[in-house]
Amino acid sequence: MTGTYGVTTLHRLAGVVAGLTMIVAVFATSVRAQDLTLDAFFGTFEGSAVAESADSLFFAVRVRDLDVEIRPTGDGGFTVRWKTVMRTDGDDDNDDAARRTAQLTFRPSERSGVWLAEEANDALSPAGFGWATIDGATLAVSIITIGDTGRYNIQVYNRSLNSKGMALEFRRMVDGVKGRTVRGNLVRVAE
């Protein structure tokens, strides 16, 4: 006897809990929203975001202006261009703000719903290995790089469509340790 319940009773209870967990998982999967199609993400979006990291409590918050453009390539793929202007919170007039631009072109892979980056096709190169998928209303772009010492760096850009435009969440991990996170909102720009 274990406590008030016997071992047999605890095993049955564990089985019931496991069965209920499986039923809930199957139900949750079946009611999940259908994935959007790639063309839903095409367009230009502008907005701002805030960067957070472990040292955010001790240093100034980094505000970022964001521009994202997603265009079809004509072969079932797409190009993502993004520009980020980074500055310290409240420093809107700083001409020395850091500016970064990037572009990746994705082509369909042999797997349905998975696109591979043309420019980032080797995890050992500085550009890394990149791929994209759609999960519900989120276009996820992931890039992994492996440094000279074998440490790995994963960057994930989740761009989720919503009624206001697009929510962005960027996450960076180095060797499994959470690094910088950037969250922001962008609106679709009329073209």
Side-chain angles (χ1 to χ4, degrees):
M1 201 95 184
T2 305
T4 314
Y5 302 101
V7 173
T8 304
T9 304
L10 290 176
H11 283 285
R12 285 185 193 146
L13 183 59
V16 169
V17 169
L20 287 173
T21 302
M22 283 179 44
I23 290 169
V24 168
V26 168
F27 179 73
T29 301
S30 66
V31 297
R32 189 188 96 181
Q34 292 294 317
D35 292 344
L36 291 177
T37 59
L38 183 56
D39 61 342
F41 294 91
F42 296 154
T44 302
F45 302 84
E46 295 177 352
S48 61
V50 175
E52 302 170 4
S53 64
D55 60 3
S56 292
L57 294 174
F58 306 106
F59 298 102
V61 172
R62 296 288 289 190
V63 176
R64 298 171 183 227
D65 291 333
L66 308 171
D67 294 339
V68 176
E69 182 180 346
I70 304 173
R71 297 279 178 233
T73 57
D75 61 357
F78 62 99
T79 299
V80 180
R81 291 184 191 103
W82 65 97
K83 179 173 68 172
T84 305
V85 178
M86 296 171 279
R87 58 180 163 259
T88 305
D89 187 25
D91 196 9
D92 293 340
D93 297 325
N94 184 358
D95 289 334
D96 295 326
R99 289 164 174 41
R100 292 193 183 136
T101 59
Q103 175 177 313
L104 288 173
T105 299
F106 294 88
R107 304 284 183 210
S109 73
E110 295 176 3
R111 294 185 181 176
S112 177
V114 178
W115 294 266
L116 299 178
E118 271 185 2
E119 306 88 341
N121 56 19
D122 179 359
L124 295 174
S125 76
F129 180 81
W131 69 98
T133 59
I134 296 175
D135 184 11
T138 301
L139 174 63
V141 170
S142 303
I143 303 167
I144 184 168
T145 55
I146 301 172
D148 293 338
T149 63
R151 295 182 71 194
Y152 66 90
N153 178 347
I154 299 175
Q155 298 176 45
V156 178
Y157 297 83
N158 286 324
R159 295 178 174 101
S160 302
L161 296 180
N162 57 39
S163 62
K164 296 178 182 176
M166 177 184 287
L168 169 80
E169 180 185 59
F170 166 81
R171 295 184 320 263
R172 179 176 181 223
M173 288 192 336
V174 177
D175 285 338
V177 177
K178 180 182 173 184
R180 184 169 313 282
T181 302
V182 178
R183 289 187 180 90
N185 293 298
L186 298 90
V187 295
R188 190 181 295 264
V189 177
E191 299 183 17

